[in-house]
């Protein structure tokens, strides 16, 4: 057996087969858990399994197996845990959305938008996400090819990031959506992936200059003024997004991932301190000038104040979602009320988006909520492990950045729902309703699979026979 110019011995073939068979076994386990959950919801709500259970199971299995076959054929060296974890989280999200659809339809009038089901549309988005994963693996044969389009991608990303401020629709207090025909898209979900590609290329090309020390202040080695320019630019763009679009979550993720990748590149804690101070200053400024953001801070500081008489409530506090989410989490105790037996519909329209985590806590309890968080931790850990394993600097930064994006988004959503930080309104990756979020996060996983394939391939190639792709790198002088 030959693989790109070298002979793959029997041991490597067994190693490849073991990884792919492990992936297949874990996918089958994930499918069993999801189908069992769907059946449990039907039994709890109707006293019998859902009538469409065989079709649901078959369709989900076909999608998961299509993704597996694509990885087996196009990325055979890839990490075997990335795809099964993604399948399980996505499947659990579909189960929870279908379960919430029933409650919303039961408790809200037919004319209310909250009574409209969202699970069928989410299935369509999931199909598109899997197709995008397959297409990415088919077209992008090596992650270093992304360096050819570094600055073009950055220009497109900035246009998409700023588009909602000028052309977007103001929904639920934030302007992060663009309506195209009958579709509502969140450009920020795709921008986070494109930004990481640019950061990885830029930091790799300028790492020596960024590592230079300017002055020392209070024991910190501060960067030179000319090298702090990129941080100031990114901070300014993040502040503009936060101010004009009132999108706290995207701003935190956008700026946070740059600071983390900058620290990975330079290993200087001064960048983290500088970035943290700038993020705190920007957030404080916007929180005191934007009523929507200020209201979320008030809800974080005292969520139960919403139940006071209107004249006694703090200014800007208008939503009971934070309080209802805490009630849901408290009602779940250790093992939960059981799928289909909670009252998370009381959270309102956000129950299907970021507050879907409250449904997990109520119906699966602290144990189930911990397991879901651990699934995210596993996905993030495999991304960071890929960053360690891959040999080229661009791949290391790209994998670390993608894992950091996922970690930051899970943190800001879970932190907002549990009351650790103010709400951001971001969708919980894979689990929440949202076509843009689903497609963008599956794209993120596809890139991690491609990078882990390169890492696995490099670890098995005989010395002197590594495959090298030399892209055209547009670096600053």
């Amino acid at each position: 057996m030959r693989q790109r110019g070298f002979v793959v011995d029997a041991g490597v073939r067994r190693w490849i087969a073991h990884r792919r068979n492990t992936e297949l076994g874990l996918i089958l386990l994930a499918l069993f858990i999801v189908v069992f959950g769907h059946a449990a919801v039907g039994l709890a709500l109707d006293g019998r399994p859902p009538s469409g259970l065989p079709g649901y199971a078959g369709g989900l299995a076909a999608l998961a197996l299509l993704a597996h076959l694509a990885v087996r054929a196009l990325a055979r060296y890839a990490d075997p845990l990335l795809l099964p974890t993604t399948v399980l989280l996505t499947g659990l999200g579909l189960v929870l959305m279908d379960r919430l659809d029933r409650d919303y339809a039961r408790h809200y009038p037919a004319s209310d938008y909250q009574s409209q089901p969202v699970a069928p549309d989410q299935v369509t988005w999931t199909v598109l996400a899997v197709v995008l994963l397959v297409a990415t693996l088919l077209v992008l044969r090596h992650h270093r090819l992304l360096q050819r389009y570094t600055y073009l991608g950055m220009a497109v990303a900035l246009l998409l990031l700023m588009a909602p401020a000028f052309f977007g629709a103001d929904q639920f207090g934030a302007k992060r959506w663009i309506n195209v025909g009958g579709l509502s898209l969140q450009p920020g979900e795709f921008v986070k992936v494109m930004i990481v590609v640019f950061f990885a290329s830029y930091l790799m090309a300028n790492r020596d200059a960024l590592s230079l020390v300017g002055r020392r202040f209070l024991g910190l080695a501060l960067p030179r003024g000319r090298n702090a320019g990129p941080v100031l630019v990114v901070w300014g763009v993040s502040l503009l997004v936060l101010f004009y679009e009132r999108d706290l979550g995207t701003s935190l993720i956008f700026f946070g991932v740059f600071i983390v990748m900058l620290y990975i590149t330079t290993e200087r804690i001064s960048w983290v301190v500088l970035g943290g101070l700038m993020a705190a200053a920007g957030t404080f400024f916007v929180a005191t000038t934007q009523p929507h953001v200020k209201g979320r801070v008030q809800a974080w500081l005292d969520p139960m104040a919403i139940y006071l008489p209107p004249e006694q409530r703090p200014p800007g506090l208008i939503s009971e979602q934070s309080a209802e989410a805490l009630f849901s989490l408290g009602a779940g105790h250790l093992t939960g009320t059981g799928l289909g037996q909670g009252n998370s519909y009381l959270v309102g329209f956000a129950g299907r988006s970021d507050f879907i985590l409250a449904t997990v806590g109520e119906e699966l309890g602290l144990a189930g909520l911990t397991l879901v968080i651990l699934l995210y931790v596993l996905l993030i850990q495999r991304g960071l492990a890929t960053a360690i394993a891959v040999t080229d600097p661009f791949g290391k930064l790209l994998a670390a950045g993608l894992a950091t994006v996922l970690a930051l988004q899970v943190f800001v959503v879970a932190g907002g729902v549990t009351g650790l930080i103010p709400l951001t309104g971001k969708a919980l990756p894979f689990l929440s309703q949202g076509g843009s979020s689903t497609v963008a996060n599956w794209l993120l996983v596809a890139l991690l699979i491609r990078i882990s394939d390169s890492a696995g391939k490099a670890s098995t190639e005989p010395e002197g026979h590594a495959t090298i792709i030399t892209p055209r790198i547009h670096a600053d002088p």
Side-chain angles (χ1 to χ4, degrees), residues 129-406:
V130 173
V131 170
L132 180 61
L133 178 138
V134 175
T136 300
L137 296 180
L138 187 62
V139 174
L140 185 67
R141 305 313 292 262
H142 199 286
H143 62 271
R144 287 200 295 266
L145 295 175
L146 291 172
Q147 290 179 272
R148 295 181 178 180
Y149 311 102
T150 297
Y151 289 94
L152 175 62
M154 182 60 181
V156 173
L158 288 178
L159 290 175
L160 289 175
L161 188 64
M162 294 184 292
F166 301 99
F167 309 106
D170 194 334
Q171 299 182 33
F172 315 125
K175 294 184 68 173
R176 66 168 67 100
W177 291 269
I178 293 179
N179 292 326
V180 181
L183 297 177
S184 181
L185 302 176
Q186 288 190 51
E189 293 291 343
F190 298 95
V191 168
K192 66 185 183 185
V193 178
M194 301 165 71
I195 288 293
V196 170
V197 175
F198 171 77
F199 286 164
S201 180
Y202 174 82
L203 294 175
M204 184 196 72
N206 297 275
R207 55 187 170 182
D208 293 334
L210 293 168
S211 298
L212 295 177
V213 177
R215 297 180 179 181
R216 291 187 176 274
F217 179 74
L218 297 178
L220 290 176
L222 297 178
R224 298 190 304 176
R226 73 186 71 173
N227 301 132
V231 180
L232 295 175
V233 171
V234 174
W235 178 73
V237 173
S238 300
L239 197 60
L240 288 173
V241 171
L242 181 55
F243 187 82
Y244 287 105
E245 300 180 14
R246 302 182 293 279
D247 191 353
L248 180 61
T250 298
S251 298
L252 290 176
I253 293 171
F254 180 45
F255 188 64
V257 70
F258 180 66
I259 295 300
V260 171
M261 293 177 69
L262 192 55
Y263 172 73
I264 293 173
T265 304
T266 63
E267 298 182 4
R268 293 199 177 279
I269 194 66
S270 55
W271 285 109
V272 179
V273 175
L274 178 63
L277 292 174
M278 294 173 67
T283 303
F284 176 78
F285 169 74
V286 175
T288 55
T289 56
Q290 285 287 347
H292 175 68
V293 179
K294 186 176 181 179
R296 287 188 166 178
V297 173
Q298 288 290 351
W300 168 58
L301 293 173
D302 190 3
M304 300 303 168
I306 190 66
Y307 300 114
L308 294 172
E311 63 275 6
Q312 299 181 24
R313 296 174 190 170
L317 184 60
I318 59 174
S319 174
E320 71 282 357
Q321 291 173 353
S322 295
E324 294 290 353
L326 294 178
F327 287 139
S328 291
L329 292 171
H333 299 291
L334 180 61
T335 57
T337 60
L339 278 173
Q341 300 183 57
N343 297 292
S344 297
Y345 70 92
L346 293 172
V347 176
F349 67 87
R352 297 180 177 119
S353 54
D354 46 347
F355 283 105
I356 202 167
L357 194 66
T359 303
V360 176
E362 181 178 9
E363 302 195 352
L364 299 181
L366 178 62
L369 181 61
T370 302
L371 289 175
V372 168
I373 296 297
L374 287 177
L375 287 175
Y376 285 114
V377 172
L378 176 62
L379 200 55
I380 295 163
Q381 187 272 333
R382 297 319 300 167
L384 295 176
T386 296
I388 294 173
V390 72
T391 55
D392 65 288
F394 174 72
K396 286 181 177 295
L397 282 174
L398 182 58
L402 294 173
T404 301
V405 163
L406 184 60

